[in-house]
Amino acid sequence: MCSKYFVLGLISASLFTESCSSHYELLSVKRNRIIIDERYDANPDEAAIRFLAPYQHTVDSLMCPIVGQVAYDLSAKRPESSLSNLLADILVWGSSKFQEHPDFSVYNVGGIRAAFAKGTVTYGDVLDVSPFENKICLLSLSGEKVLELFRQIASRGGEGVSHGVQLKITKSGKLVEAILNGKPIDPQATYRVATLDYLAQGNDQLVAFKSGVNVLSPKSKDNNARFIIMDYFREKCSGGRALAPIVEGRIKVVE
């Protein structure tokens, strides 16, 4: 199979026994991402290979076409990461299709379900990263509601935000400062925002989005986030170029 990796969550729990009973209490939960690549091909399961062989060609023909490249491993985490920055910027880029020029965008970290490994990026890789049917959505928020949205993002420890957004948040999830394109948010102004239709409905505790007006929420399949991501890769990676997004201080945790 051509997919380089699957991302798995590893959960470790510390349990203890109370008195002599069989009662257990969960003390902690941890997770981590691991990339499953060619290292795991050293000792292939021959029976599994024979079982999968009749399906491999069909699956590979769908999932293996290359859409672009990345210069290094990209993963998502809070408060900010190279991958969440990239996906938020892609939403701004994808808005031009609708003659829209949003002031900023938001892409939820929880919706990013895999990582991009260094090298070629295939259709299947993008599908792993963005497996849902979420579509781009544009809406307008008052400055007051933008501040409320940024407070909600701070309470979640960060989300993917586009270039030009600069938030300072505390470890306890409080918003300290919000700057957009070098200026403080004007509570009386109106801001155009690109996001996913899932978030526009107020999901992932970003309920400020429910106050959005002048909503543009295209429903056609080609406006699914994964296809916008692929189109971005195809355009930006023409001529063999590789994407190299960085962490640039969009969301900083302060004391």
Side-chain angles (χ1 to χ4, degrees):
M1 304 290 283
C2 76
S3 293
K4 298 189 290 293
Y5 58 86
F6 293 97
V7 176
L8 303 174
L10 299 181
I11 300 178
S12 62
S14 300
L15 305 173
F16 71 89
T17 305
E18 183 178 292
S19 188
C20 295
S21 69
S22 60
H23 172 71
Y24 296 97
E25 181 177 338
L26 179 66
L27 294 182
S28 66
V29 176
K30 296 181 180 179
R31 69 177 184 177
N32 193 18
R33 296 176 185 268
I34 61 172
I35 294 178
I36 299 178
D37 55 19
E38 64 275 2
R39 290 173 294 174
Y40 295 87
D41 294 333
N43 298 294
D45 186 323
E46 297 299 334
I49 291 175
R50 287 194 298 272
F51 177 80
L52 294 172
Y55 312 100
Q56 183 170 344
H57 176 73
T58 299
V59 173
D60 285 356
S61 67
L62 295 173
M63 297 299 175
C64 288
I66 294 172
V67 298
Q69 299 184 70
V70 293
Y72 35 73
D73 294 346
L74 304 182
S75 61
K77 63 180 180 179
R78 294 182 170 91
E80 181 187 353
S81 65
S82 55
L83 183 53
S84 56
N85 282 357
L86 173 64
L87 297 181
D89 288 346
I90 288 175
L91 288 182
V92 173
W93 175 87
S95 302
S96 62
K97 174 181 177 180
F98 308 98
Q99 290 72 55
E100 292 271 2
H101 303 283
D103 297 292
F104 69 96
S105 71
V106 178
Y107 199 113
N108 59 320
V109 172
I112 304 172
R113 293 306 178 97
F116 287 132
K118 177 182 177 180
T120 58
V121 174
T122 66
Y123 181 109
D125 295 330
V126 175
L127 185 61
D128 287 342
V129 166
S130 181
F132 305 110
E133 298 304 311
N134 299 328
K135 296 175 175 59
I136 192 171
C137 182
L138 294 120
L139 51 85
S140 296
L141 291 174
S142 69
E144 182 179 356
K145 286 298 179 180
V146 168
L147 287 171
E148 181 180 324
L149 173 65
F150 287 158
R151 286 193 290 269
Q152 291 163 0
I153 289 174
S155 71
R156 293 178 58 78
E159 297 287 2
V161 293
S162 58
H163 180 75
V165 177
Q166 293 177 286
L167 305 181
K168 291 183 180 179
I169 67 176
T170 66
K171 292 179 180 179
S172 61
K174 303 297 183 182
L175 180 66
V176 175
E177 183 180 62
I179 301 295
L180 179 60
N181 297 323
K183 298 179 181 179
I185 302 299
D186 180 356
Q188 304 306 314
T190 299
Y191 295 86
R192 195 67 171 162
V193 189
T195 189
L196 303 173
D197 54 1
Y198 171 78
L199 297 182
Q201 297 164 13
N203 291 307
D204 273 13
Q205 301 175 339
L206 302 182
V207 296
F209 273 129
K210 296 176 72 174
S211 298
V213 297
N214 299 323
V215 178
L216 174 61
S217 187
K219 300 302 182 184
S220 60
K221 183 178 179 180
D222 61 339
N223 295 312
N224 188 297
R226 74 173 69 101
F227 296 118
I228 296 173
I229 294 168
M230 290 183 216
D231 289 343
Y232 181 90
F233 269 95
R234 292 186 183 106
E235 178 177 306
K236 300 299 182 181
C237 294
S238 61
R241 290 175 293 177
L243 298 183
I246 60 172
V247 173
E248 57 184 27
R250 299 181 188 185
I251 303 180
K252 294 181 178 179
V253 177
V254 298
E255 296 295 334

